[in-house]
Amino acid sequence: MKRAAYGIDLGTTNSCIARFTGAGALTVIPIDGGPTVPSVVAFDGREWLCGRRAANHAMLEPHNAVRSIKRHMGEEHYRVRLGGEELSPVQVSAKILAYLKAQAEAAIGEAIREVVITVPAWFNEPQRRATVAAGEMAGLTVTRIINEPTAAALAYRADGAREEAEERWLVYDLGGGTFDCSILAVSGTCKEVLASCGNTFLGGDDFDHRIVLHLVDGIRDRDGIDPSADPLAMARLRHLAEQAKIRLSTEVEAPIHDHFEIGGRHLDLVTALTRGAFNALIEDYLESTLAKARQALEEARITAANIERVLLVGGSTRIPKVQERVAQALGIEPEAYVDVDLSVALGAGAQSALDAGLSFAQVVVDIAPHALGVAALGDEDERSAAALVARGLFDEDGPAEGAWDHHPLTFVPIIRKNTRLPARFVEEFYTSIDEQGVIEVAVYQGESRNTRDNVHVGAFFVPLPPMPAGSPVQIGFEYDRNGLIQVSVSEKGGALKRYTMDLNRSAAGNSEPALRRRPLTVDEGSEDGDGSADEAAGVLNFLIERVERRLAEGPEEAHPEVHELLASYRQQLAAGDDERLDGLEEALYAWLDASGEEEERLSAV
Ligand code: AMP
């Protein structure tokens, strides 16, 4: 029996780990004498440093330190050179997580294995997979990835929300590297995300950078020295800029004094930054966050007047101008009674406790932040499948070498942005040539009609029996709360082929997420393919869970036939009668679809 559960906020600037104990206490574990540690990794010539020691070392040897690595999560080819090694963002993040794990274990005298890790709501699948891979590399089992603003909302009490009265909350999360805005419907203990918008390249780091540019301009004008080519001077200026920014949250003017040696010349920097000047430097950034907040309101189909509470999350919301602009734009005083640096980790700890069965205090429903779909020949394409065949990219045996680089341009969403998770949708496509032989299911994520502007998540090929052009093929996506995608492909009259595409798992020890351009596990009929039994059971239980949830929405005695179906399904699950299971599964899905699930059918190739 578990006694504790853990949640980690792996931040751009700082990271934090929270612990929920069976006794009901939710606290942050202090590390290095503080609640949060800098997300910095350094190498001092002898050993790896993390946290505060690494941040200090970064001031002396900036070229031997890495900060804000989160900004590169999911970039397949990005590497930093450190300690004589080429490290991927996953490897650097793994060092931060391993440090948090080891230090927290030393502090509490208990082994930490299973954790919930948070990510910006706006993170795409490759970024989420990279986060899971980093956790696994650090020796952790990542039981769930949750969105930072959703986690923060979990750390807040819903006291205003009575059972029957639903409240709307807006979470404004501005940290060191990312901005997220989520709208939630809160009713009693249930928190449901309605919409999320954000920018994974906007935060306190950018504000520091603006101050640095401002200081560099001043130095050039006043002293005729250009510090921008000197990494040591730039690291020092960045530190001074951040300190001045933080000071301006409580004072109206921040003095900036330091002594530099740049290219053999001495420089005495004696200047000051006023709050007014700083506000002007970051004004456009703040306006862009408010534009995202308006977009989130629009997507949630409400206006600012419908918002009951605005919660501030992330270190950069301490900036008075941020609070002022948020209050002005939304017409409501924002609140931050849970520490803006800790609420995300505390919420991750709360989620971990819910998952471990240590707490039943809340229910959370989250959404898919981006649309997920496939590439298909359509409006956006100048090419046709016949042209691909003519160019030797497809033949009856499957794809030719290099065909991967030639996905069609048209993106057909199957699961739309802001869809509640878990979700299941099916689209109908058509083969484009006679005897096509194979179709490529290329999965993309994003909002653009053109796949080139979206993120390529993965792809696989499905062999087809001989069919004339225009034969229908159905592609279904099932997306669970953990980002596990089950893709089913079926052709009329043919056996259903099921392909599992686990976007969150990576092979243990691998430096990068495992999903690549390789065929996915094939599950014909009821075979599991190479997917584990657990995985299959997870998908099946997911179906039961959804049916139960849908049944619970109506009166208790409604749909006796579905209750019966569900009972037989459970029985057959125990008995392992695959043929009957298939039929029952189809019937349950049909009922789910008929009872309100939106199914869209678009025609494409
Ligand atoms: P987080 O990612 O939530 O840890 O936020 C870190 C960011 O918050 C960094 O850019 C910090 O410089 C910034 N920050 C922390 N405290 C303050 C403060 N008092 N005023 C302004 N920015 C702050």
Side-chain angles (χ1 to χ4, degrees):
M1 172 71 188
K2 264 195 212 160
R3 288 178 300 129
Y6 302 90
I8 294 180
D9 169 8
L10 178 61
T12 310
T13 326
N14 297 299
S15 295
C16 178
I17 177 165
R19 175 176 187 245
F20 183 96
T21 62
L26 183 57
T27 49
V28 160
I29 304 173
I31 293 174
D32 285 354
T36 65
V37 292
S39 304
V40 184
V41 174
F43 188 74
D44 71 358
R46 282 177 302 115
E47 57 171 341
W48 292 100
L49 306 174
C50 284
R52 233 166 292 286
R53 284 178 70 205
N56 293 338
H57 192 77
M59 298 290 298
L60 303 171
E61 293 187 339
H63 57 286
N64 276 330
V66 188
R67 51 172 74 244
S68 302
I69 194 66
K70 186 169 169 180
R71 292 198 141 178
H72 299 285
M73 285 302 255
E75 286 178 30
E76 205 180 327
H77 302 295
Y78 186 86
R79 293 290 178 274
V80 286
R81 226 191 133 61
L82 197 60
E85 293 179 31
E86 297 276 327
L87 300 178
S88 68
V90 169
Q91 287 170 314
V92 176
S93 303
K95 286 193 189 297
I96 298 166
L97 288 169
Y99 181 73
L100 277 180
K101 175 179 175 346
Q103 296 297 310
E105 284 176 342
I108 59 173
E110 204 174 275
I112 298 173
R113 181 132 192 104
E114 294 187 348
V115 294
V116 167
I117 302 183
T118 60
V119 294
W122 203 241
F123 253 24
N124 60 34
E125 288 305 330
Q127 292 170 311
R128 284 165 197 261
R129 274 184 284 148
T131 306
V132 175
E136 290 180 353
M137 200 181 282
L140 295 162
T141 303
V142 184
T143 54
R144 193 191 281 256
I145 289 286
I146 66 166
N147 295 329
E148 285 161 11
T150 311
L154 272 172
Y156 275 83
R157 282 193 311 276
D159 4 70
R162 282 167 286 124
E163 286 289 312
E164 68 282 11
E166 196 174 81
E167 278 190 352
R168 311 277 166 180
W169 293 5
L170 185 148
V171 181
Y172 180 98
D173 180 356
L174 186 60
T178 56
F179 170 70
D180 271 330
C181 176
S182 289
I183 314 281
L184 290 96
V186 180
S187 143
T189 54
C190 180
K191 290 171 177 160
E192 180 179 350
V193 182
L194 302 176
S196 279
C197 283
N199 183 343
T200 45
F201 275 86
L202 202 171
D205 282 3
D206 300 290
F207 305 165
D208 300 344
H209 188 61
R210 282 268 167 93
I211 301 175
V212 169
L213 294 182
H214 175 74
L215 293 174
V216 167
D217 280 349
I219 294 169
R220 272 204 209 110
D221 291 348
R222 251 188 336 264
D223 308 289
I225 300 176
D226 183 2
S228 54
D230 184 327
L232 205 59
M234 290 303 280
R236 186 87 204 131
L237 285 175
R238 208 202 64 78
H239 179 69
L240 291 170
E242 186 180 12
Q243 280 192 326
K245 173 188 75 175
I246 290 173
R247 194 152 170 182
L248 288 173
S249 289
T250 47
E251 293 167 36
V252 291
E253 185 168 304
I256 301 173
H257 295 174
D258 208 351
H259 179 79
F260 293 84
E261 215 183 279
I262 299 171
R265 288 182 61 186
H266 291 280
L267 168 72
D268 278 317
L269 180 66
V270 183
T271 183
L273 187 66
T274 64
R275 192 183 275 180
F278 171 62
N279 290 345
L281 286 176
I282 63 166
E283 196 177 338
D284 59 329
Y285 283 134
L286 298 193
E287 290 314 307
S288 81
T289 65
L290 296 170
K292 290 283 177 199
R294 282 184 214 105
Q295 188 188 336
L297 286 168
E298 217 168 274
E299 287 179 7
R301 296 199 182 86
I302 56 171
T303 64
N306 303 116
I307 296 286
E308 270 89 11
R309 295 173 72 180
V310 175
L311 310 181
L312 296 181
V313 180
S316 298
T317 59
R318 290 214 177 84
I319 296 170
K321 193 67 182 175
V322 170
Q323 299 172 8
E324 188 189 310
R325 288 295 294 120
V326 169
Q328 267 172 1
L330 299 168
I332 183 167
E333 233 15 82
E335 50 190 295
Y337 70 77
V338 180
D339 190 318
V340 295
D341 292 327
L342 310 184
S343 54
V344 169
L346 289 170
Q351 179 67 60
S352 191
L354 290 169
D355 290 345
L358 292 175
S359 152
F360 303 96
Q362 314 197 51
V363 178
V364 197
V365 180
D366 216 325
I367 52 168
H370 301 279
L372 197 69
V374 295
L377 290 170
D379 308 343
E380 304 272 330
D381 296 279
E382 312 99 66
R383 298 188 300 264
S384 68
L388 290 180
V389 173
R391 285 156 62 190
L393 293 168
F394 283 103
D395 55 36
E396 62 278 5
D397 298 327
E401 190 72 28
W404 293 112
D405 303 327
H406 297 273
H407 294 165
L409 296 176
T410 304
F411 174 66
V412 181
I414 294 182
I415 294 183
R416 287 175 189 277
K417 179 179 193 306
N418 292 339
T419 299
R420 295 165 105 205
L421 299 179
R424 172 177 173 262
F425 288 87
V426 180
E427 295 277 0
E428 194 153 279
F429 297 82
Y430 299 95
T431 56
S432 57
I433 52 169
D434 288 336
E435 316 273 307
Q436 188 162 319
V438 66
I439 54 164
E440 180 192 16
V441 180
V443 181
Y444 283 86
Q445 190 177 42
E447 276 64 57
S448 172
R449 283 287 294 163
N450 189 328
T451 53
R452 295 280 184 275
D453 303 328
N454 292 334
V455 173
H456 178 239
V457 174
F460 60 95
F461 290 96
V462 180
L464 294 177
M467 295 191 292
S471 300
V473 175
Q474 293 185 337
I475 299 181
F477 275 19
E478 251 177 56
Y479 198 164
D480 80 5
R481 278 180 302 239
N482 295 314
L484 180 79
I485 290 184
Q486 169 114 341
V487 185
S488 56
V489 181
S490 58
E491 84 280 359
K492 209 173 178 185
L496 181 82
K497 292 187 173 56
R498 183 157 293 150
Y499 292 76
T500 44
M501 188 171 202
D502 181 348
L503 297 175
N504 269 350
R505 296 286 145 208
S506 71
N510 239 0
S511 63
E512 292 298 331
L515 188 70
R516 283 286 175 277
R517 292 165 174 178
R518 61 178 171 76
L520 298 159
T521 41
V522 184
D523 170 11
E524 296 212 23
S526 61
E527 291 293 311
D528 276 354
D530 71 7
S532 71
D534 275 1
E535 203 169 86
V539 172
L540 298 175
N541 290 335
F542 159 71
L543 172 60
I544 293 175
E545 198 183 301
R546 287 189 58 214
V547 172
E548 281 178 339
R549 220 154 38 93
R550 183 67 57 79
L551 284 170
E553 285 168 11
E556 211 170 288
E557 65 283 3
H559 305 296
E561 76 291 356
V562 183
H563 283 282
E564 265 177 43
L565 273 176
L566 201 57
S568 323
Y569 186 56
R570 286 182 198 279
Q571 262 176 14
Q572 297 308 329
L573 211 51
D577 183 338
D578 293 338
E579 224 163 87
R580 289 221 56 207
L581 270 176
D582 274 355
L584 288 164
E585 196 179 318
E586 286 301 304
L588 287 168
Y589 275 131
W591 177 73
L592 277 174
D593 290 342
S595 72
E597 195 87 15
E598 187 192 347
E599 276 217 13
E600 297 194 35
R601 300 191 185 284
L602 287 181
S603 67
V605 176

